[in-house]
Amino acid sequence: MSFFEAIVLGVTQGIAEWLPISSEGVTAFLGVRFFDGITTTEIIRLSLFLHLGTMFAAIIYFKKDLVLLFKNLIAYKKIDKGAQNLIRFYVIATTLSGVIGFFILKGIELLESFVVINGKALLFVLSAMLLITGILQLKRREDGHRKPEDANLADSIVLGVAQGFSALPGLSRSGLTVASLLLRDFGDKYALQMSFIMSLPVVLAGNILLNTSNFALTIESFISLLFSFIFGIATMHVLIKFAKKVQFGWFVIAFSAIVAVSALLWEYNIGV
């Protein structure tokens, strides 16, 4: 990456993470369409790395909830049943999603060893994933009545699968998990909180398992991470409130169409 590319991708991650539009999809679109020589696996790994910036922002934002969760984890046998339910939910959901996400990335790497996935093909796939995200957003249920302490095994499995498949560029992690939680009848304010908290261990574990041996920390990647954190912490509160009030489904579908048109223009050498 150049310094300019690093800043653009960092700012994009810092802003897009808090909206149900797939931050990975946006960074993949920018990386593949406008930056030269980047593969599908590389853009996924880079997006995962940039998630560290917004992960630290989320840790600061949800610090009280995380401290309480950590205390309950240590005193697990002494806490009430509702608190135990929530801890089991996070453990099962994040473990399942981590396993699914790991095999998805490894599957893409294996596919790329046999088939060349060029930028144009990736954009068409990205467009299809964004379309799915948009449709799911439109189908999301209105505010439910369940609270985090009501979480059960079925909730853990549903949310683990939803978050795991969001490893595919274009499938919004927050969009899928929040929609899934609402469909499971959780309250809107709890759905957002649970969605972001359950992403933290997956982002950290994913970088440890997938990026430590392959990702070289350069000044450009560090700058990109720094901008991801700065813009993440600066925009998080406002954008989370904004996301609660706005229906993003149609926006994501429109973005899907833009990506598809961009791929077609690229295929026929029209425009940029």
Side-chain angles (χ1 to χ4, degrees):
M1 291 185 292
S2 67
F3 279 100
F4 175 74
E5 292 169 348
I7 292 172
V8 168
L9 291 179
V11 171
T12 300
Q13 170 61 29
I15 294 174
E17 175 64 14
W18 319 123
L19 302 173
I21 58 175
S22 178
S23 59
E24 187 179 10
V26 178
T27 54
F29 173 68
L30 292 175
V32 171
R33 187 65 181 89
F34 300 106
F35 304 157
D36 294 328
I38 193 164
T39 67
T40 304
T41 302
E42 287 171 344
I43 195 64
I44 292 176
R45 289 184 182 277
L46 176 59
S47 178
L48 180 62
F49 175 72
L50 292 178
H51 273 75
L52 284 173
T54 45
M55 180 196 77
F56 288 121
I59 288 174
I60 293 174
Y61 188 82
F62 291 110
K63 59 181 180 297
K64 290 183 179 179
D65 301 287
L66 292 171
V67 168
L68 177 60
L69 191 63
F70 183 71
K71 288 181 178 178
N72 286 341
L73 181 61
I74 294 176
Y76 180 79
K77 293 183 178 180
K78 299 178 181 179
I79 58 179
D80 60 49
K81 185 178 180 180
Q84 290 180 343
N85 289 342
L86 184 58
I87 289 177
R88 283 197 297 267
F89 166 80
Y90 284 130
V91 170
I92 296 172
T94 54
T95 301
L96 180 58
S97 61
V99 171
I100 292 174
F102 176 83
F103 280 106
I104 285 177
L105 182 55
K106 288 300 180 181
I108 292 174
E109 288 181 343
L110 180 62
L111 181 62
E112 284 191 316
S113 66
F114 293 99
V115 180
V116 177
I117 305 176
N118 59 33
K120 300 167 190 176
L122 177 58
L123 287 183
F124 281 118
V125 173
L126 178 60
S127 175
M129 295 297 102
L130 285 167
L131 180 61
I132 293 172
T133 292
I135 292 172
L136 289 173
Q137 286 286 304
L138 294 177
K139 289 184 176 295
R140 61 180 274 177
R141 184 172 171 175
E142 293 302 318
D143 199 11
H145 68 276
R146 297 177 69 201
K147 298 180 179 180
E149 55 266 28
D150 298 325
N152 55 37
L153 178 61
D155 298 321
S156 303
I157 294 173
V158 170
L159 269 296
V161 171
Q163 181 165 264
F165 275 95
S166 68
L168 292 168
L171 289 182
S172 167
R173 190 208 61 77
S174 62
L176 289 179
T177 53
V178 169
S180 298
L181 284 162
L182 291 177
L183 287 171
R184 299 292 298 174
D185 204 28
F186 283 92
D188 188 67
K189 65 177 182 178
Y190 300 121
L192 280 166
Q193 174 185 316
M194 293 167 71
S195 170
F196 285 118
I197 289 178
M198 68 182 286
S199 73
L200 302 180
V202 173
V203 170
L204 182 60
N207 275 282
I208 292 173
L209 293 174
L210 299 173
N211 274 343
T212 50
S213 61
N214 297 288
F215 196 92
L217 182 61
T218 63
I219 185 63
E220 290 83 6
S221 60
F222 176 76
I223 288 175
S224 194
L225 181 67
L226 181 62
F227 271 82
S228 171
F229 170 75
I230 292 173
F231 275 79
I233 199 69
T235 63
M236 186 177 187
H237 183 69
V238 173
L239 291 181
I240 286 179
K241 281 192 171 183
F242 183 58
K244 289 181 181 180
K245 299 177 180 179
V246 177
Q247 175 56 268
F248 275 89
W250 292 115
F251 175 83
V252 178
I253 291 173
F255 183 39
S256 167
I258 291 172
V259 173
V261 170
S262 176
L264 288 172
L265 294 177
W266 191 6
E267 176 68 26
Y268 295 103
N269 297 314
I270 302 174
V272 180

